[in-house]
Amino acid sequence: MTACSVEASRQETEAMDGVVLVVEDDPVLRLAAASNVREAGSRVLTAANADEALSLLESNPDVSVLFTDVDMPGSMDGVALSYLVHERWPNIKFIVVSGHASIANEDLPDDGRFVSKPYYPRVIQDALRNAVQQSAEAEDQAR
């Protein structure tokens, strides 16, 4: 293995080492999404709505990616949550999913990514890896 491939492998492993907050009101889909996050190599926290998510974010500064459904009960939907989180924690990246709405990536904060449900686990895992890496790079630049 060359020095470049060792370095690339090390960077990919580090990029997968983030904490992802999954916000999904459907318990079965929340468990499936959490499983996808773990398979992508990240640690996972889960919340059933935006209010729970905000509480978890306040007590877990290591969150690097917000993975949220659009439609959920509570004080706000996933898009509003992503904008609020972006204002308070600008280094957190976003993956927004929905089986009902279609949202352009440009309508999400800071390089957010929209994925339609149902989705293939590989699509989510690739998006998570990219988002965790972007978050790590943003943290490095902030230092």
Side-chain angles (χ1 to χ4, degrees):
M1 195 178 264
T2 67
C4 288
S5 62
V6 169
E7 178 65 16
S9 177
R10 183 185 66 77
Q11 287 176 344
E12 183 174 325
T13 301
E14 285 177 0
M16 309 254 293
D17 195 31
V19 176
V20 177
L21 174 55
V22 172
V23 188
E24 169 64 63
D25 61 310
D26 182 303
V28 173
L29 295 177
R30 188 168 54 246
L31 286 172
S35 177
N36 282 326
V37 169
R38 283 187 205 91
E39 288 176 16
S42 293
R43 292 168 288 156
V44 64
L45 299 172
T46 61
N49 58 50
D51 297 321
E52 285 182 20
L54 292 170
S55 178
L56 284 169
L57 285 165
E58 289 171 358
S59 61
N60 292 281
D62 294 337
V63 172
S64 56
V65 178
L66 176 70
F67 177 101
T68 183
D69 187 23
V70 171
D71 299 313
M72 59 187 158
S75 62
M76 67 186 84
D77 69 12
V79 175
L81 174 63
S82 67
Y83 275 96
L84 179 60
V85 169
H86 180 64
E87 287 177 17
R88 293 180 64 184
W89 298 277
N91 292 332
I92 293 178
K93 302 303 176 188
F94 306 92
I95 299 172
V96 177
V97 299
S98 178
H100 305 288
S102 181
I103 300 167
N105 289 336
E106 298 79 30
D107 293 333
L108 298 172
D110 195 31
D111 300 323
R113 172 140 185 226
F114 175 77
V115 178
S116 292
K117 290 180 186 176
Y119 47 75
Y120 292 102
R122 180 70 182 180
V123 170
I124 295 301
Q125 291 167 3
D126 289 346
L128 286 167
R129 286 184 184 101
N130 186 39
V132 169
Q133 184 172 2
Q134 287 178 349
S135 181
E137 289 168 0
E139 282 287 328
D140 288 345
Q141 289 176 355
R143 290 183 202 161

